[in-house]
Amino acid sequence: MATRAMHASKAAAPTLSLMSRRTMTLHNPITRSLARPMTTKSFQHTAIVTGATVSQKRHLSSSAWEGSSGFKDLTRATALVYSEYGRPTEVLKVLKHTLTPPGDDAVQVQFLASPINPADINQIEGVYPLKPPMTTHLYSSPSATTSAPTLTPVAVAGNEGVAKVTKVGSKASSHFKVGDWVVMGSAGLGTWRSHGNFLAKDLTKVRSVEKMTEGGDSSSLDIVQLATLTVNPCTAYRMLRDFRTLSPGDYVIQNGANSGVGEAVIQLARPLGVKTINIIRNRPGHEKVAERLTKLGATHILTDDQLGKLETKELVKSWTKGHEVNKSGHLVTYGAMSRQPLILPASLQIFKNVHASGFWLTAWNDSHSPTERQEMIDRVVEVMKTGQFEEVECTRNQWNITATDMGVLEERLRDAVGRAASGGHGKQVFLME
């Protein structure tokens, strides 16, 4: 069963518990703390980015930035970057730069939407295991007629998003065409930007320009569904398949059931005939949360204050027709926002044969081929296309890709990140327009 363990402590980590009639338990810690504020540095440079990686070029004049004669193949771009770890609203800055055409084995894309996820916040704080390198590649080299400025190494924030291919390198043309829609094939590539050059091997196609003209492919899906495809739904997909062979009638028990992963588990389990027991916090508004989860297909719902009570144990037995949900189950922990240890009683392992594993989608992506990642994406998209996957509830924050006032753009984007970091404001997504 997929659950956040029923034996979890108060600051439980997100878990999924799989059982055969059989159970799998999914576990996800949900407490967030922000790092100490750090000093913000300003970025006053323009950059030329080349190929899929980047190399330094001469400083561009304002006319070159606007794409004047001699620079027609360049693309004006903006990115939300950081030069040090700390509170996101303190360290994030907008950096404008210019892209040259992509290299032979790369493509250039224009981002359409990018969500703000907890892992993105942790990455900026410096407490996430995966840390993109900070480099000076986004800056131009100094003009020969001016003294060299001090260049501050930066990283582009964001790990997830959907983008449209705008230019294709000669060796990448067999995989992508201008107009295709793509998502990131791995984390740490930086998606909070208007445009970017990426190696073809690091991208996965979600919408073919050829099929779009026929009204097929993923054309019916909302842009936010595609932008939020590669983290939560794919995490749920892998956990439901990689730890137990679940059959119709089996149970998944999860805590944090109203999280992005939790909602995806419910919706991906339903077509398999797998039942879900979903644990949510008993706090103001939990009735509306329960209503939404029921609409998504949740089989049963419990609040965290019901756990550990004898009547709850008997209630669960009645749901599972007497089957012990914690016997021979598999506990899967997929999040660690509370930064607290997960305590699992030895008696469960010895007498109930409960197994425990951790899961990190980034590690799965790194150890599997682009073909395998494409297959996973295609299968999740197929479920979405059947209408069995609800659109993500979110606040859509406009990212004006033609903005000229970087100060105003920066304030708007940082405000959105601040709302996501503080919690209680729902999902935040950048829409590049």
Side-chain angles (χ1 to χ4, degrees), residues 112-113 162 181 183 205-207 212 215-229 233 267 377-392 396:
L112 304 172
V162 63
W181 286 24
V183 293
K205 189 185 302 184
V206 292
R207 184 175 290 181
M212 276 195 288
D217 208 36
S218 58
S219 301
S220 61
L221 299 182
D222 177 71
I223 190 173
V224 173
Q225 282 185 299
L226 294 175
T228 56
L229 170 64
Q267 294 174 95
I377 292 293
D378 289 345
R379 289 188 176 182
V380 175
V381 167
E382 282 303 313
V383 175
M384 290 181 170
K385 285 165 59 178
T386 63
Q388 299 182 76
F389 217 96
E390 290 287 322
E391 293 182 11
V392 177
R396 304 179 183 218

Side-chain angles (χ1 to χ4, degrees), residues 84-404:
E84 58 185 338
Y85 300 118
R87 192 181 298 272
T89 53
E90 298 284 342
V91 301
L92 286 172
K93 297 289 289 183
V94 168
L95 176 66
K96 65 180 181 180
H97 56 285
T98 304
L99 299 175
T100 62
D104 290 344
D105 54 354
V107 300
Q108 186 171 118
V109 303
Q110 174 189 321
F111 277 89
L112 304 172
S114 296
I116 304 172
N117 293 320
D120 303 327
I121 303 299
N122 285 168
Q123 207 167 58
I124 299 165
E125 293 170 345
V127 297
Y128 196 67
L130 177 66
K131 296 179 176 65
M134 293 185 185
T135 73
T136 58
H137 291 159
L138 285 183
Y139 295 105
S140 63
S141 62
S143 168
T145 60
T146 60
S147 59
T150 301
L151 301 182
T152 305
V154 298
V156 180
N159 292 279
E160 187 179 31
V162 63
K164 180 172 64 177
V165 175
T166 55
K167 297 177 184 177
V168 181
S170 59
K171 294 181 181 178
S173 59
S174 60
H175 301 288
F176 297 104
K177 291 181 173 57
V178 171
D180 286 345
W181 286 24
V182 297
V183 293
M184 303 297 103
S186 58
L189 297 177
T191 60
W192 294 359
R193 60 172 99 197
S194 62
H195 302 77
N197 287 332
F198 298 90
L199 293 172
K201 69 179 183 64
D202 290 332
L203 301 175
T204 303
K205 189 185 302 184
V206 292
R207 184 175 290 181
S208 164
V209 66
E210 296 172 342
K211 292 184 179 180
M212 276 195 288
T213 59
E214 303 167 2
D217 208 36
S218 58
S219 301
S220 61
L221 299 182
D222 177 71
I223 190 173
V224 173
Q225 282 185 299
L226 294 175
T228 56
L229 170 64
T230 59
V231 175
N232 295 332
C234 288
T235 295
Y237 178 88
R238 293 259 59 95
M239 290 194 296
L240 288 171
R241 284 159 175 77
D242 293 354
F243 297 91
R244 287 278 198 222
T245 301
L246 295 170
S247 303
D250 289 345
Y251 276 85
V252 170
I253 303 176
Q254 62 172 342
N255 67 345
N258 59 318
S259 67
V261 173
E263 291 191 355
V265 165
I266 293 170
Q267 294 174 95
L268 291 174
R270 184 170 56 176
L272 302 175
V274 173
K275 300 179 180 180
T276 58
I277 299 175
N278 303 277
I279 302 166
I280 61 175
R281 286 180 172 181
N282 183 5
R283 57 186 178 187
H286 75 270
E287 296 90 353
K288 289 187 177 180
V289 172
E291 287 177 11
R292 173 170 171 80
L293 297 186
T294 301
K295 180 182 176 182
L296 296 180
T299 313
H300 305 290
I301 298 172
L302 293 169
T303 54
D304 55 357
D305 62 323
Q306 292 178 277
L307 303 182
K309 295 181 178 179
L310 179 60
E311 54 265 35
T312 301
K313 183 176 180 180
E314 295 303 316
L315 179 63
V316 172
K317 277 187 178 181
S318 70
W319 290 341
T320 61
K321 296 180 172 53
H323 181 73
E324 288 190 69
V325 296
N326 61 352
K327 189 172 184 180
S328 298
H330 202 126
L331 177 72
V332 184
T333 301
Y334 64 91
M337 289 296 291
S338 69
R339 304 175 195 171
Q340 298 297 314
L342 170 65
I343 300 174
L344 185 64
S347 59
L348 289 179
Q349 297 174 295
I350 298 170
F351 304 115
K352 300 295 185 179
N353 193 34
V354 170
H355 296 257
S357 300
F359 180 76
W360 188 27
L361 185 64
T362 296
W364 188 94
N365 283 330
D366 290 345
S367 62
H368 290 76
S369 68
T371 300
E372 291 171 304
R373 294 198 300 267
Q374 183 72 63
E375 179 184 9
M376 172 178 64
I377 292 293
D378 289 345
R379 289 188 176 182
V380 175
V381 167
E382 282 303 313
V383 175
M384 290 181 170
K385 285 165 59 178
T386 63
Q388 299 182 76
F389 217 96
E390 290 287 322
E391 293 182 11
V392 177
E393 290 188 341
C394 67
T395 300
R396 304 179 183 218
N397 302 275
Q398 183 187 28
W399 182 317
N400 184 354
I401 64 175
T402 61
T404 56

